[in-house]
Every structure is written in C-alpha cells, then in structure tokens.
Amino acid sequence: MLHAYVLIEFDPGAPDVPERVRAHSLGMCKQTLVGSPTSGELVVHLEAEEGPHMNEAMVSLASQVEGVGRLTVLRITGAP
C-alpha cells in the first residue's frame, strides 16, 4: 500500500475546487483532504495499492479538475 501527501495549488477564483477534488473519482486510488484548504492551496492524502494507480490519480487531478494548477508531492511512503 502506498500513501502520498500532495500539495495542490488551485485558482482561488475558481468555484468549489476543494469540493470538486474531494468528489473526483480517482479509480483505484482513494483521496482524503487534509485540514482546511487555504486560499489557493490544499493538501490531499492519496492511498493506492500500486504505483501506477498513484500516478494515474495525480494526472487525473491535474488534468480533469477545473481550477487545479500545480501538484507537488510532499511525501510518499509504502511497504517495499
């Protein structure tokens, strides 16, 4: 099981980005918002069985959720 914390920068003028991130299906990856979003930034915890699922989830967030800008991986942990 892999766990990642990802900082998502978003357009603060775009409506409801945190809610759209929370509701967006990531297939084989589970997401949980961590804390309260600040103006233009939120942290998401991702959990997936395999690395490719984690990669697909991050690409999906960046390309399919309107208003999402840059994603920065803060930490990835998992069993070897």
Side-chain angles (χ1 to χ4, degrees):
M1 181 70 67
L2 296 172
H3 300 271
Y5 287 93
V6 179
L7 172 68
I8 298 176
E9 295 177 50
F10 63 91
D11 176 4
D16 301 323
V17 173
E19 184 55 39
R20 280 188 272 138
V21 167
R22 182 186 350 257
H24 185 72
S25 174
L26 298 179
M28 300 297 291
C29 189
K30 177 182 170 188
Q31 81 267 30
T32 306
L33 270 58
V34 178
S36 299
T38 62
S39 180
E41 295 180 335
L42 63 108
V43 176
V44 176
H45 174 255
L46 300 176
E47 183 178 294
E49 289 290 330
E50 300 176 0
H53 298 300
M54 186 75 68
N55 292 338
E56 291 168 8
M58 287 190 258
V59 169
S60 177
L61 284 171
S63 65
Q64 296 178 3
V65 179
E66 182 183 343
V68 168
R70 181 170 53 188
L71 273 65
T72 304
V73 177
L74 303 174
R75 181 178 180 186
I76 297 178
T77 60

